[in-house]
Amino acid sequence: MSEGTMQRRAQRDDQRARRTMRTGGLNRLLAAAAAVPVMLIAAGCSSGSDSGSGDDAAARKSAGASASTSPSAEPTVQAAAYGALPEACGVLSKKTLTSLVPKAPAKGKEGASSDTAARASCSWSSLQNNGVKGSQFRWLNVSLVRFETDAASSGERQAQEYYAKQVRDVAATAGAKNAKSQAVAGTGDQATTVRYDLKKSEGAFKQQTVVSRVENVVVTVDYNGAGLAGEKTPDAAALVKSAELAAKEAVAAVEAANGEGAGAGSSSPTPSKPSSKPSSKSPSASSSASASASASAAAAKKS
């Protein structure tokens, strides 16, 4: 073989080797390029799955924490509408007092109370001497009880319960005869008159009690009369009318003391003020029908 032939063969072998190398490298490059998207897709799926799980877990944890730390809504109790009581001895006009208890002192007798913002009362006693005909006796008492809202019940609800109890207790007075009850219109939110006869050694007494409620305040008016030492027994219907008139005035005084009613400076009630003394759901009334009878008897004996 000639030297030229050998050179040409060596050149061809070298070219084939180079083409083989180029082809193998290209194939490896294509294979590597094809593998990259698969890796990226796998990584993306893995990353998305992990991220979603983490977000869901974080959301569930946050919701649980909010539920556990959020305070439960507490039920609210309606605030008491009235936060004050008028002066008990000033709830009735001079004209009314002159009509009901003509011989009573100008100023009534204030009842004892440790907290006059929650409980107050005033009484008047009149003995009109008619000489040999005898005497006409009258006794009048006004009691005011205000209830404050507490955690268990509103002041108005407590006043409603006390109002109903007062009406029942008056109607069940020991020794009462011919007891009758009737509703009274135009006197607060609720009003009932209870009337009965009470026989005493001094004479026959006619007792009228008007129990009224306005918002969270209960007003009780006791009014009795008797003819003593031969004087005739007073007319029960007239006494009832007088007692109901006094009750209307007392209720109006309560409203005015809390910014309502004629002559008041504001049509909205005064905000309720806490009482310095804890209120009781069933405070004792400053007067009752039996107390009025006792007062009547004592006054009659003095005559």
Side-chain angles (χ1 to χ4, degrees):
M1 182 178 298
S2 65
E3 181 177 355
T5 301
M6 293 177 65
Q7 288 178 352
R8 286 193 295 272
R9 182 178 293 178
Q11 289 176 353
R12 286 196 297 272
D13 291 341
D14 181 61
Q15 290 175 354
R16 282 198 298 269
R18 289 183 178 181
R19 285 197 298 270
T20 300
M21 291 178 64
R22 285 198 298 269
T23 301
L26 180 59
N27 290 338
R28 287 193 299 272
L29 181 61
L30 292 175
V36 169
V38 175
M39 294 175 65
L40 290 175
I41 291 172
C45 292
S46 175
S47 174
S49 175
D50 292 344
S51 175
S53 299
D55 290 345
D56 291 344
R60 289 193 296 270
K61 183 176 181 181
S62 176
S66 299
S68 61
T69 58
S70 177
S72 58
E74 294 292 337
T76 58
V77 181
Q78 182 181 1
Y82 291 165
L85 289 178
E87 183 183 356
C89 291
V91 297
L92 301 180
S93 67
K94 182 178 180 181
K95 179 180 178 181
T96 298
L97 290 173
T98 300
S99 175
L100 272 63
V101 282
K103 296 299 181 179
K107 185 172 178 59
K109 181 180 180 182
E110 186 176 357
S113 175
S114 59
D115 183 4
T116 55
R119 187 178 297 103
S121 65
C122 191
S123 62
W124 298 261
S125 180
S126 171
L127 184 63
Q128 185 174 357
N129 191 339
N130 295 321
V132 296
K133 293 182 179 180
S135 303
Q136 282 291 336
F137 174 79
R138 300 290 187 272
W139 184 79
L140 173 66
N141 186 86
V142 177
S143 171
L144 311 171
V145 182
R146 185 183 66 85
F147 293 85
E148 188 64 77
T149 292
D150 57 27
S153 181
S154 69
E156 183 176 2
R157 178 62 180 274
Q158 295 176 59
Q160 290 172 344
E161 294 173 352
Y162 182 64
Y163 164 84
K165 182 179 182 299
Q166 279 286 85
V167 173
R168 291 194 303 268
D169 289 351
V170 172
T173 299
K177 302 293 183 182
N178 305 317
K180 297 178 182 178
S181 299
Q182 63 186 42
V184 182
T187 306
D189 299 308
Q190 294 175 282
T192 300
T193 296
V194 181
R195 52 186 286 191
Y196 57 84
D197 300 333
L198 192 63
K199 186 69 175 177
K200 303 291 290 185
S201 59
E202 297 83 4
F205 288 84
K206 298 290 185 179
Q207 172 70 38
Q208 289 65 227
T209 298
V210 184
V211 184
S212 310
R213 180 188 68 82
V214 54
E215 297 289 357
N216 55 308
V217 176
V218 175
V219 178
T220 303
V221 173
D222 289 306
Y223 185 51
N224 67 36
L228 307 177
E231 181 63 278
K232 66 180 181 179
T233 301
D235 179 58
L239 294 179
V240 167
K241 184 177 180 180
S242 295
E244 292 178 351
L245 173 64
K248 290 180 189 293
E249 283 194 15
V251 167
V254 172
E255 293 174 335
N258 289 276
E260 292 188 351
S266 171
S267 60
S268 59
T270 300
S272 176
K273 298 178 181 179
S275 172
S276 59
K277 180 181 178 181
S279 62
S280 170
K281 289 191 176 183
S282 298
S284 300
S286 60
S287 65
S288 64
S290 58
S292 67
S294 298
S296 301
K301 288 180 179 179
K302 291 181 180 179
S303 66

